[in-house]
Amino acid sequence: RTGRLHRLPIYTLSEATSNKLDSAATSAHKKHVSGDHWYLIGLGTHPDKQGLGIGSAVIEIGATKAAEAGLPVYLETMTQENVDYYSKRGFRVLEELVIDDKIKVWAMLRDPKNSH
């Protein structure tokens, strides 16, 4: 299904570009969250189960637990569709990174006060 969260950009990366991507994401992470926080590294829902609220429920459970501890939740994502998805769930864009003029990465944060 086109336009769904499970569609991630597919890139064939050189080692140099891969290293730049890793370095930029690590730098953004350190720049935007220096204290204790939760880090959403990966989240996916099988295409057959998308649209049932499973991913949203998992995010909400984790974000609520983080908020109860007074901690923000940080993530990086690589598609505008995912930016829109996470924005609807209380995350805000901190920075948009562009690697080698083709790969975009958005650093996002959900503050504890934004828990629903």
Side-chain angles (χ1 to χ4, degrees):
R1 291 179 264 180
T2 304
R4 298 300 300 253
L5 185 61
H6 75 281
R7 295 286 184 200
L8 297 176
I10 304 298
Y11 299 109
T12 302
L13 302 178
S14 68
E15 185 175 348
T17 300
S18 180
N19 289 339
K20 287 180 196 175
L21 177 59
D22 184 54
S23 178
T26 298
S27 177
H29 189 170
K30 290 179 181 178
K31 174 181 170 183
H32 293 294
V33 284
S34 58
D36 290 341
H37 62 284
W38 284 38
Y39 186 15
L40 178 57
I41 292 178
L43 174 69
T45 304
H46 189 280
D48 293 344
K49 301 297 181 186
Q50 290 182 351
L52 301 176
I54 297 167
S56 296
V58 170
I59 291 169
E60 197 56 42
I61 289 167
T64 297
K65 289 184 179 284
E68 288 170 355
L71 300 174
V73 181
Y74 175 84
L75 64 85
E76 293 116 6
T77 192
M78 295 178 68
T79 69
Q80 182 62 55
E81 291 169 289
N82 287 354
V83 170
D84 297 342
Y85 177 87
Y86 289 118
S87 294
K88 291 176 187 173
R89 285 146 187 89
F91 288 84
R92 62 185 169 86
V93 173
L94 301 172
E95 183 174 3
E96 179 181 332
L97 308 164
V98 180
I99 312 300
D100 289 347
D101 296 323
K102 64 180 175 182
I103 301 169
K104 289 186 178 182
V105 178
W106 288 265
M108 301 185 75
L109 189 79
R110 179 168 161 163
D111 294 307
K113 63 181 179 267
N114 284 347
S115 284
H116 299 93

